[in-house]
Amino acid sequence: HVAYAQATPRKPGIDEDGRARIELRVLTIATGESRSFITAESGASSISWTPDGSAIAFLAKRTGDEQRSLYTISIDGGEARKAFAFDDRGVGAYRISPDGEHVAVLATAPQPADQKAAAKKGFRPEVYEETWRPGEVWIAAHHGGEESEPRLLPIDGHVSNMEWAPDSRRL
């Protein structure tokens, strides 16, 4: 199987303005058949296989979500299941360890409540290094698609990318 994202641009003058619609599709190599797993309306990004190949992981902000979350869907189809989410921030990136035992998630620290309220009223100042929010790495155990309570890795500064070591013991 090949999992891929298919982008469909919006039609000018017909569709509402916005980004292209992204659909998660799976191609069965033996038959050449491609089928839709996640529709373009809910979208999917950062598509990857789980280490055992039984499911596809992806990021999406689906109906009812306040933030972008990590989802998985079985290669056999069915409904996508939310695997990881924060209440106060979206998931920016994720990596499932090669042994499938842990998931590392990259997220930006939440915006302070007073700044968020001011932004809703149109006040969005950008003061050098005063409104900076670091990228953080969170780790959770990943057992059969169920996540444990995540823990924040104590890292000074900003994290913009991460990758597991092949032995799954280090990031």
Side-chain angles (χ1 to χ4, degrees), residues 10-59:
R10 295 180 187 253
K11 297 176 183 125
I14 298 171
D15 293 334
E16 286 186 28
D17 189 27
R19 296 179 180 176
R21 293 183 171 101
I22 307 294
E23 186 173 341
L24 169 59
R25 298 187 63 87
V26 175
L27 170 73
T28 302
I29 296 171
T31 64
E33 177 190 355
S34 178
R35 58 190 168 131
S36 177
F37 267 52
I38 302 296
T39 65
E41 291 305 316
S42 59
S45 64
S46 301
I47 297 166
S48 70
W49 290 95
T50 57
D52 65 3
S54 68
I56 301 165
F58 62 94
L59 295 178

Side-chain angles (χ1 to χ4, degrees), residues 74-145:
S74 170
I75 187 59
D76 298 326
E79 184 58 35
R81 187 188 63 72
K82 191 182 292 188
F84 193 100
F86 290 106
D87 292 333
D88 60 353
R89 67 193 86 191
V91 174
Y94 69 94
R95 298 288 186 271
I96 300 172
S97 62
D99 64 7
E101 294 294 316
H102 294 87
V103 63
V105 173
L106 184 63
T108 302
Q111 187 176 29
D114 60 336
Q115 288 179 10
K116 196 175 202 174
K120 284 185 177 183
K121 294 181 179 178
F123 185 68
R124 294 180 183 89
E126 290 188 32
V127 180
Y128 181 71
E129 291 190 356
E130 280 193 24
T131 56
W132 175 78
R133 296 178 296 146
E136 302 171 333
V137 178
W138 295 77
I139 302 242
H142 180 80
H143 299 290

